[in-house]
């Protein structure tokens, strides 16, 4: 039974990885939860998140579609959403022209269209209720033209930019928008994106629990954004001064098929 006196958080992409860790942090702070992913695994995650006195609802929905986002929205049952953690996302390796069009489109529809549609729906409710926290999982990938992950990096550039723009529009309200920008993180992301034969797929990566904590703390204190980890902070700083062509060439070294062997 949902208890209307407790705060509700919505976390997308919570079946695994960074999203599951974000949902654990919300549960630890006593939020009721609506968690979503596009696989039955979300039920297992919800079981893991349930603890005394906390209600957790799992939604198995494709958030690349309008219907999927509407179903997630409906699952909140009209309760005010105190925190929206828009984290669901999908990568896709290989050269753009070698990618399956439907797979490339799924990345755009999930990372951009579904994400901002959900933020549009819940953000309007937050405006009505007068407060709320929004955390968007962008990426340091958004600072680099991502050769051999071109569509993905483009979607993250969109989200990084969108997050700061929306934050500015809401500056005079009690709604905060925070962008979490992780670097390579040890999750199922690389396997799912078919990047396991690449350097970035094989290199050491950050701990998703630590990355999630950085984002969650930034959201709680209402910061504009956080790049998780000092190595990523350096990479982000470099990306701001290096010419785009050089960045794209660097990305080839990390993400080109077979680069794991180089
Ligand atoms: N891992 C990294 O190196 C890294 C770095 C920077 C940013 N990020 C971002 O961090 C976020 C979380 O990724 P992760 O690394 O934790 O990878 P992950 O373990 O693969 O988690 C991705 C989550 O998003 C869900 N998802 C993907 N497409 C969806 C869709 N259409 N509808 C509903 N749920 C969907 C996944 O479940 P289903 O696939 O079953 O739907 C899963 O729950 C993503 O936005 C990613 O771009 C990751």
């Amino acid at each position: 039974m949902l208890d209307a006196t407790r705060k509700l958080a919505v976390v997308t992409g919570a079946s695994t990885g960074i999203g599951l860790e974000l949902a654990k942090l919300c549960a630890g702070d006593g939020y009721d939860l609506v968690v979503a992913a596009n696989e039955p695994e979300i039920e297992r995650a919800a079981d893991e998140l349930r603890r005394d006195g906390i209600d957790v609802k799992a939604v198995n929905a494709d958030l690349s579609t309008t219907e999927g986002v509407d179903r997630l929205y409906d699952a909140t049952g009209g309760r005010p959403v105190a925190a929206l953690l828009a984290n669901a996302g999908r990568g896709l390796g290989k050269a753009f022209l070698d990618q399956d069009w439907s797979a490339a489109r799924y990345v755009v529809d999930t990372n951009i269209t579904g994400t901002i549609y959900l933020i549009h729906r819940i953000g309007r409710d937050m405006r009505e209720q007068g407060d709320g926290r929004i955390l968007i999982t962008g990426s340091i990938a958004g600072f680099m033209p991502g050769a051999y992950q071109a569509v993905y990096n483009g979607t993250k550039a969109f989200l990084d930019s969108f997050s700061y723009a929306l934050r500015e529009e809401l500056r005079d309200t009690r709604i905060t928008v925070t962008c979490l920008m992780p670097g390579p993180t040890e999750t199922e992301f690389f396997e799912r994106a078919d990047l396991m034969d690449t350097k970035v797929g094989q290199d050491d990566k950050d701990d998703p629990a630590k990355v999630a904590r950085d984002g969650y703390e930034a959201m709680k204190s209402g910061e504009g954004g956080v790049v998780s980890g000092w190595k990523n902070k350096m990479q982000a700083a470099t990306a701001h001064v290096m010419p785009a062509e050089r960045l794209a060439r660097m990305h080839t070294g990390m993400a080109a098929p077979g680069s794991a062997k180089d």
Side-chain angles (χ1 to χ4, degrees):
M1 233 332 243
L2 289 177
D3 175 349
T5 63
R6 259 197 325 269
K7 290 185 167 189
L8 178 67
V10 172
V11 187
T12 69
S15 56
T16 56
I18 298 168
L20 177 57
E21 298 299 333
L22 286 170
K24 285 181 195 168
L25 292 164
C26 293
D29 271 351
Y31 282 96
D32 281 339
L33 281 164
V34 176
V35 291
N38 192 18
E39 60 180 350
E41 181 76 4
I42 193 64
E43 298 287 351
R44 190 206 50 73
D47 286 344
E48 190 182 330
L49 291 162
R50 262 179 212 116
R51 58 177 78 193
D52 283 348
I54 289 185
D55 194 274
V56 183
K57 210 182 244 189
V59 180
N60 182 352
D62 182 355
L63 300 179
S64 73
T65 66
T66 303
E67 305 73 51
V69 173
D70 285 341
R71 212 142 56 66
L72 170 57
Y73 180 83
D74 291 345
T76 64
R79 272 183 74 183
V81 175
L84 167 60
L85 295 86
N87 164 81
R90 178 66 72 143
L92 185 63
K94 308 282 181 274
F96 174 62
L97 297 181
D98 294 336
Q99 290 171 346
D100 189 39
W101 171 245
S102 60
R105 184 171 177 164
Y106 184 73
V107 173
V108 175
D109 291 346
T110 299
N111 299 7
I112 299 182
T113 315
T115 299
I116 66 168
Y117 176 44
L118 181 65
I119 293 170
H120 193 257
R121 289 211 70 178
I122 292 182
R124 283 182 161 197
D125 292 346
M126 286 180 171
R127 187 171 60 182
E128 282 286 297
Q129 77 207 25
D131 61 10
R133 302 254 181 232
I134 299 173
L135 179 71
I136 298 173
T137 307
S139 174
I140 64 163
F143 306 146
M144 283 171 263
Y148 300 97
Q149 261 240 94
V151 173
Y152 174 75
N153 283 39
T155 65
K156 291 294 165 173
F158 179 100
L159 287 181
D160 292 351
S161 164
F162 173 83
S163 185
Y164 280 94
L166 181 62
R167 176 182 176 79
E168 168 61 20
E169 290 179 9
L170 295 171
R171 185 155 53 104
D172 295 329
T173 73
R174 286 160 45 81
I175 303 166
T176 59
V177 184
T178 302
C179 191
L180 167 60
M181 291 160 283
T185 307
E186 198 57 68
T187 68
E188 297 181 17
F189 175 89
F190 295 91
E191 184 93 51
R192 286 171 159 160
D194 200 7
L195 283 164
M196 294 312 284
D197 64 339
T198 66
K199 184 163 169 10
V200 66
Q202 293 298 326
D203 274 358
D204 286 345
K205 299 185 185 59
D206 294 332
D207 171 10
K210 155 86 169 69
V211 171
R213 202 173 328 113
D214 287 345
Y216 189 75
E217 293 300 331
M219 178 191 81
K220 278 212 313 194
S221 44
E223 285 163 41
V226 60
V227 172
S228 180
W230 67 268
K231 257 169 63 182
N232 300 319
K233 285 184 173 55
M234 296 223 324
Q235 204 171 355
T238 309
H240 286 308
V241 292
M242 200 180 263
E245 283 194 31
R246 279 196 58 197
L247 288 168
R249 178 61 61 86
M250 260 176 55
H251 206 276
T252 293
M254 298 184 328
S259 55
K261 288 194 231 82
D262 300 341

